[in-house]
Amino acid sequence: MKRKPQARKTSSETDTDWESGRIYKRYRSSSTDGSEGGGGTRNRPVKVYVVQAKFDDQTLRDLFDLVELAREGKGPSVRPLNLEICKEPEDADIIITNIRMRKRFERHVDWRIAKQKAIVTPDWLRESVREGHLVECGCHAAFTELHDETVEHCPDESSQKPSEGTSQESSSSYSLPKPLLPAVKPTSSKVINNWRSRYACQRASPLICVNQSLVEELAVLGHARELEGLNVNALAYERAVSIIKSYPYRITHETYKRDLIKLPGLGSKTLSKIQEYLNNGYIAESRTTRKSERYQSLVAFSKIYGIGPTIARKLYDIGCRTIDDLERYYDVAPGSTIESLEEELVTPDNKKIPKDKIPDLPIKISLALREDFAIPIAREEVEEMHRVVMQELDKFQPGCVSTIVGGSVPQNSDPSGLLDLILFDTRYRRGKPFSNDVDIVISHSDQQKGAEIIKGLCKRFAKHLHEAGMVTHVMHLSGFHAHNALRNEHWDSLEKALTVFILPPNGQQKRTHRRLDLIFASPEAYWTAVVGWSGSKMFERDLRLWAKVEKGMKFDSSGMTRRHDSKLFIPRSEEEVFSYLGLEWVDPTMRNADV
């Protein structure tokens, strides 16, 4: 039971927090008549209660110091804020917490009280001090289920706004550049201790794990079943792979009995395969599958754009076994150029493609491009592609911002000079040394007109790149679709141009055709798009499942909504997407829940 607070001490003394026994510094209170603190305002101070659980001592001291500095006008904005730390949650106007689970939060604050307060993350305080006025609470709500209550009870910022004549922006408008803050890296303890979690989006999965050889054996079995159209069976092996990728210890007979047989998601058949691997050092079915002519043919065929498992099986059934067989079947002569093949595609019924239309990518052209597509894209070329694309986009539509996602270099681009910061250090986003394609999420920095500017930009810019000779073909080109919270399929509604791209000639070497995906997101969907395009297939699948089952929300790249009332949430950073979903932060390099 919580003890009653002790008598107030002087500002130079310290108390011990009566809940946790941790250091609690007593800051001087604001006078309600405005005689001291708060920049001389006559409004009563905004009282702040900090739930100290899940904060280390240094972070707590930093938060309390931040309140004191803000009161004295010594914060980044140099403008005083009338804030005061209080010792009881019922006395607070706003409650700051790092807890994301309701049951744990209720150990410290009664839920009935919580519904009458604004419950926010520490970022609310940091941003308020940085901006020099109390920012809106909704985007910093600690619990999605209390989002509306947090917005309703957010302290009135009228007394905190800049006086007339200042040029400070209102915090109620959404701004894209400000949220681009460095992301928090997962600690080693997270990497070790979260492997028991059910969902892949809760676990840290490195690119190469300590049980990589076992993972590759199981992955062959899953891929074989996917190629044969046995999707349910394939999913079982894919899930097993994702579980083992996050397991931090080498699997032995001992750890198998101690840990693996208890993990959710590993069925009896999968466990028998793991047991076989432990006994023999390999899985017999995996070896047999790898040597199978059918498996080798289906794998080779499905690597050609336009050929999925179904078409691959049909080609095999009619006698095709190799890529040479495919070329003969599709009438692609050795040494054929793309231009000659496009001429061959023109028939009386299939008129020549107009110059103002980007040609699509038929299987015949895909076969001719397969060698280019098979060449891994090095980091330097990814960066050059990104730079060239954003330079062209800045000429075509100034003010755009971007993040390279997928397995590529995580770099924030601002060719117009609107931003002066980098989201991450320039390393490969999920830790991969090479990429098979380049994915770029693009938005606009205009906080009021950004959504309208982005609308329709995808098709217009793809056409511009085609006219400039950089986009030769398009594999998919979608227009604008409003976010639909009731849509069931997981393919998002963002504007996308999945293209074949070639860098301008540099006079020294032949340029290689590359797959380039351009994803256009409105400012409010920018960070959900970044997260939605930065994880492996299983990571993203479980992210959607977690949102639906555990949080009553719908998540995809185009937005994040609450299912019961379709309320849209607008995160201001990649980390805040995880926060809204009640998930611990997982660094992009730890989202490799597949081979």
Side-chain angles (χ1 to χ4, degrees):
M1 182 179 294
K2 185 170 68 176
R3 290 164 49 193
K4 293 183 178 180
Q6 299 173 2
R8 176 171 299 204
K9 300 182 181 181
T10 64
S11 60
S12 61
E13 295 176 323
T14 60
D15 295 338
T16 298
D17 178 69
W18 56 91
E19 290 185 297
S20 62
R22 296 164 69 179
I23 297 301
Y24 176 100
K25 186 175 181 180
R26 165 60 58 190
Y27 293 92
R28 62 187 175 90
S29 302
S30 295
S31 172
T32 56
D33 64 1
S35 60
E36 59 174 307
T41 178
R42 291 187 174 275
N43 294 296
R44 75 173 185 84
V46 173
K47 295 187 176 182
V48 179
Y49 178 79
V50 179
V51 179
Q52 300 189 27
K54 289 202 76 176
F55 285 117
D56 58 55
D57 289 340
Q58 185 58 53
T59 302
L60 278 175
R61 292 190 186 97
D62 291 343
L63 290 175
F64 292 143
D65 287 344
L66 202 56
V67 171
E68 184 77 353
L69 291 172
R71 286 172 48 78
E72 297 174 357
K74 297 179 181 179
S77 68
V78 198
R79 183 178 178 275
L81 290 180
N82 196 7
L83 300 175
E84 176 183 297
I85 294 289
C86 67
K87 292 180 68 174
E88 290 287 353
E90 52 265 32
D91 297 333
D93 298 299
I94 194 156
I95 295 176
I96 295 176
T97 181
N98 215 21
I99 299 172
R100 297 293 182 271
M101 304 301 290
R102 172 176 171 174
K103 288 185 178 180
R104 182 166 183 179
F105 183 77
E106 286 183 298
R107 299 176 193 171
H108 308 277
V109 178
D110 188 283
W111 196 249
R112 289 171 298 179
I113 294 175
K115 288 184 175 181
Q116 302 170 22
K117 309 291 181 181
I119 314 296
V120 298
T121 66
D123 288 337
W124 174 86
L125 177 60
R126 296 178 183 122
E127 187 174 342
S128 295
V129 173
R130 184 172 66 244
E131 295 297 319
H133 59 89
L134 301 186
V135 300
E136 56 122 352
C137 301
C139 62
H140 298 293
F143 300 95
T144 54
E145 57 194 300
L146 291 180
H147 179 273
D148 291 351
E149 290 84 352
T150 294
V151 171
E152 179 184 351
H153 298 292
C154 191
D156 184 6
E157 62 182 74
S158 59
S159 64
Q160 309 291 338
K161 286 183 178 179
S163 60
E164 289 186 44
T166 63
S167 59
Q168 206 134 16
E169 295 180 8
S170 168
S171 64
S172 61
S173 58
Y174 178 81
S175 173
L176 181 65
K178 291 175 184 175
L180 300 179
L181 302 173
V184 178
K185 304 296 187 296
T187 64
S188 57
S189 61
K190 288 183 182 179
V191 175
I192 293 173
N193 293 329
N194 65 356
W195 52 268
R196 295 181 180 87
S197 302
R198 174 185 174 187
Y199 297 90
C201 57
Q202 294 177 286
R203 305 189 297 262
S205 304
L207 181 64
I208 304 296
C209 69
V210 295
N211 299 292
Q212 192 67 22
S213 58
L214 170 58
V215 162
E216 291 170 358
E217 292 281 287
L218 294 173
V220 169
L221 302 180
H223 193 198
R225 283 153 178 78
E226 180 184 11
L227 292 171
E228 296 295 349
L230 304 173
N231 294 326
V232 174
N233 304 78
L235 180 60
Y237 280 107
E238 290 168 7
R239 191 164 293 285
V241 164
S242 73
I243 292 169
I244 294 171
K245 281 294 291 286
S246 65
Y247 186 67
Y249 312 110
R250 185 166 298 282
I251 296 175
T252 63
H253 289 286
E254 180 184 354
T255 56
Y256 173 87
K257 294 178 181 178
R258 186 188 69 200
D259 297 328
L260 256 65
I261 60 175
K262 301 175 185 177
L263 293 180
L266 293 179
S268 58
K269 191 168 184 179
T270 303
L271 288 171
S272 69
K273 297 294 183 184
I274 296 173
Q275 189 70 53
E276 180 185 350
Y277 176 85
L278 292 175
N279 292 333
N280 304 329
Y282 62 89
I283 298 174
E285 186 185 350
S286 299
R287 285 192 171 184
T288 304
T289 300
R290 281 195 184 96
K291 295 177 181 178
S292 163
E293 180 186 61
R294 180 178 175 86
Y295 176 76
Q296 292 175 3
S297 297
L298 296 183
V299 168
F301 296 167
S302 62
K303 288 181 179 179
I304 306 299
Y305 181 82
I307 299 180
T310 301
I311 295 179
R313 292 195 299 273
K314 290 180 179 179
L315 290 168
Y316 187 88
D317 291 342
I318 63 174
C320 293
R321 295 293 183 269
T322 66
I323 295 297
D324 290 341
D325 293 339
L326 286 191
E327 289 181 333
R328 285 190 290 270
Y329 179 79
Y330 286 101
D331 197 20
V332 178
S336 296
T337 63
I338 295 174
E339 292 76 14
S340 65
L341 291 174
E342 287 179 341
E343 290 294 332
E344 293 175 12
L345 290 171
V346 178
T347 66
D349 297 327
N350 180 25
K351 296 180 181 180
K352 191 171 182 178
I353 299 171
K355 289 184 178 180
D356 62 344
K357 186 177 186 299
I358 310 173
D360 59 10
L361 189 66
I363 293 176
K364 199 166 188 174
I365 304 297
S366 294
L367 281 166
L369 292 173
R370 74 182 189 283
E371 292 182 356
D372 275 13
F373 288 167
I375 300 172
I377 311 175
R379 167 179 174 160
E380 293 77 14
E381 188 175 353
V382 172
E383 291 176 329
E384 185 180 4
M385 289 172 64
H386 184 219
R387 178 182 57 80
V388 169
V389 166
M390 294 311 294
Q391 281 181 347
E392 286 296 316
L393 182 55
D394 189 48
K395 291 186 288 185
F396 188 77
Q397 177 60 70
C400 288
V401 293
S402 66
T403 298
I404 300 181
V405 290
S408 305
V409 181
Q411 182 174 326
N412 176 267
S413 171
D414 179 30
S416 63
L418 292 175
L419 303 178
D420 188 29
L421 45 123
I422 299 299
L423 178 60
F424 294 105
D425 52 343
T426 52
R427 55 177 170 67
Y428 277 75
R429 188 152 236 268
R430 281 169 48 203
K432 295 184 176 181
F434 293 96
S435 292
N436 296 319
D437 61 3
V438 177
D439 305 324
I440 306 175
V441 173
I442 297 169
S443 189
H444 199 275
S445 58
D446 191 307
Q447 56 186 322
Q448 293 162 347
K449 300 179 181 179
E452 283 302 313
I453 292 172
I454 285 295
K455 188 175 181 179
L457 182 58
C458 177
K459 288 185 176 180
R460 290 186 284 113
F461 183 55
K463 181 180 176 183
H464 170 80
L465 291 177
H466 175 59
E467 292 171 349
M470 285 181 264
V471 166
T472 62
H473 298 81
V474 65
M475 296 171 279
H476 174 83
L477 187 60
S478 64
F480 172 79
H481 298 281
H483 178 76
N484 182 1
L486 302 178
R487 184 168 40 82
N488 292 321
E489 67 272 16
H490 71 263
W491 186 247
D492 60 59
S493 56
L494 297 174
E495 294 188 40
K496 291 177 287 291
L498 313 185
T499 71
V500 178
F501 179 87
I502 187 167
L503 284 166
N506 61 4
Q508 298 177 352
Q509 59 183 11
K510 175 182 174 292
R511 291 298 199 176
T512 304
H513 290 85
R514 299 301 195 184
R515 289 181 55 180
L516 170 68
D517 298 344
L518 303 175
I519 304 101
F520 289 79
S522 62
E524 61 267 20
Y526 184 70
W527 290 112
T528 54
V530 169
V531 172
W533 284 74
S534 293
S536 68
K537 178 181 174 182
M538 184 57 67
F539 187 93
E540 298 297 337
R541 181 196 295 271
D542 274 10
L543 201 58
R544 296 189 297 270
L545 188 62
W546 164 272
K548 178 181 179 180
V549 175
E550 304 296 338
K551 306 303 291 184
M553 299 174 70
K554 180 181 181 300
F555 172 85
D556 63 28
S557 300
S558 56
M560 185 163 46
T561 52
R562 194 164 52 197
R563 287 182 174 270
H564 76 268
D565 60 2
S566 300
K567 180 175 181 59
L568 179 67
F569 295 96
I570 303 176
R572 294 197 173 195
S573 67
E574 189 177 19
E575 185 184 6
E576 198 166 275
V577 173
F578 284 79
S579 178
Y580 271 130
L581 291 172
L583 290 167
E584 296 288 342
W585 166 254
V586 179
D587 188 83
T589 59
M590 291 294 172
R591 300 178 199 168
N592 296 288
D594 56 11
V595 179

